[in-house]
Amino acid sequence: MASENKNGSGRRTVRVGVFIPTDCQVLDLASVDIMGTMSCEDFELVSAVVPKAVIDLAPLVKIYYIGSVKAGEPIKLTSNETILATHHFSDPEVGPGKLDIVHVPGPDPFRSFPADALAWLREQAKTPGVDILSVCTGIFLCGEAGLLKGRRACGPRGMQDMIKTKGYGEKELLGHKYRWIQDGNLWSSGGITNGNDLVAAYCRASKHFPAPIVEIACEMTDVGDRPQAYAKGQSAFVFGMVYNIFRAWLMKSIWRRK
């Protein structure tokens, strides 16, 4: 529901809700900053080097941090970080029809999610014009909300079998092959920083962001240049993981003696 500002400037406003009902990975969350960089407010910060035409073309991007806690209370992230919620998911300001994009950074996949939070995400996905961007283990949150049924999806390439065992009813899992995939209004990525590739691809395809603004922001943030398909096959990925786990097992006794 990108809309004009109340001041009548005609500038489009894009409303992004970052949905964190439990916790999330910092690097998953960080991919939302690519969209934040496309805001006129961000471009105004570098107005000394950015022409006015760019600032005038850029939308106003409003980002809300939505959790299961009250506004102003902390949401736990990895690396001993926290972020303050701007809204509880029940707040009318972030209800269905109030957002354009719901960004879902990856939580601990072994935690359970509140039923009412899942219902909120489900209703957002049903709302016309709302796009869901699932990053990394956000796929589990989306799956629990019923968003994967009959759809193609990604998720972390090392967790494809785990996702399948959940019985989310997905049409096809492609996380072993692609960094991101789109199916309707659901965009899902592979692990962690593949969220950057997802957001860049989404913004390039989205009606919310003018193409020159997207490309300038992608150059500024140095994202969006990796191919959708992984260069390394799944067998090579698994071999590399097993090899380094074996190395760690061999080295642990040496490190303990130092």
Side-chain angles (χ1 to χ4, degrees):
M1 58 159 288
S3 60
E4 291 189 359
N5 280 351
K6 291 181 179 179
N7 62 17
S9 69
R11 190 187 299 278
R12 295 173 69 86
T13 299
V14 183
R15 294 175 172 83
V16 183
V18 182
F19 186 46
I20 317 173
T22 53
D23 61 307
C24 80
Q25 175 92 30
V26 172
L27 284 174
D28 293 5
L29 170 64
S31 59
V32 77
D33 196 40
I34 299 169
M35 289 184 281
T37 303
M38 296 179 194
S39 179
C40 59
E41 293 181 330
D42 268 48
F43 280 117
E44 285 170 354
L45 296 175
V46 290
S47 59
V49 294
V50 173
K52 185 175 182 296
V54 172
I55 299 172
D56 290 344
L57 181 62
L60 174 64
V61 180
K62 293 188 175 182
I63 301 176
Y64 309 109
Y65 295 91
I66 305 164
S68 298
V69 297
K70 295 178 181 179
E73 293 185 348
I75 299 172
K76 183 175 175 57
L77 310 180
T78 56
S79 298
N80 200 31
E81 290 196 32
T82 58
I83 190 169
L84 298 183
T86 62
H87 296 81
H88 185 275
F89 60 79
S90 64
D91 292 345
E93 189 177 1
V94 294
K98 299 296 185 179
L99 301 173
D100 300 294
I101 301 162
V102 178
H103 179 275
V104 186
D108 177 352
F110 299 100
R111 293 189 64 171
S112 58
F113 308 115
D116 48 356
L118 295 174
W120 180 90
L121 181 58
R122 190 179 307 119
E123 289 305 310
Q124 291 287 351
K126 291 179 181 178
T127 303
V130 176
D131 294 312
I132 310 296
L133 311 186
S134 170
V135 179
C136 191
T137 54
I139 201 76
F140 291 95
L141 185 51
C142 291
E144 293 292 336
L147 306 192
L148 302 191
K149 189 173 182 179
R151 302 199 196 208
R152 297 181 302 158
C154 271
R157 67 189 307 188
M159 292 183 164
Q160 297 293 284
D161 289 341
M162 180 179 171
I163 298 169
K164 289 177 183 176
T165 62
K166 293 289 186 177
Y168 294 142
E170 66 278 355
K171 179 179 180 180
E172 186 178 14
L173 279 179
L174 294 165
H176 64 288
K177 185 177 181 180
Y178 296 126
R179 299 184 189 280
W180 59 269
I181 195 78
Q182 176 199 4
D183 193 328
N185 70 335
L186 175 66
W187 294 66
S188 58
S189 83
I192 309 180
T193 56
N194 289 296
N196 294 337
D197 304 282
L198 168 74
V199 171
Y202 170 77
C203 291
R204 283 173 171 148
S206 173
K207 65 182 181 182
H208 299 307
F209 303 97
I213 298 301
V214 175
E215 297 309 321
I216 292 169
C218 284
E219 288 290 345
M220 290 172 62
T221 54
D222 199 14
V223 300
D225 55 350
R226 295 199 298 185
Q228 182 179 10
Y230 292 115
K232 181 188 291 184
Q234 188 71 355
S235 296
F237 167 77
V238 172
F239 176 80
M241 292 294 288
V242 171
Y243 171 66
N244 282 297
I245 290 171
F246 180 66
R247 288 179 65 203
W249 180 77
L250 290 177
M251 292 178 66
K252 67 176 182 179
S253 59
I254 298 173
W255 281 90
R256 285 175 178 172
R257 289 198 297 266
K258 288 187 177 181

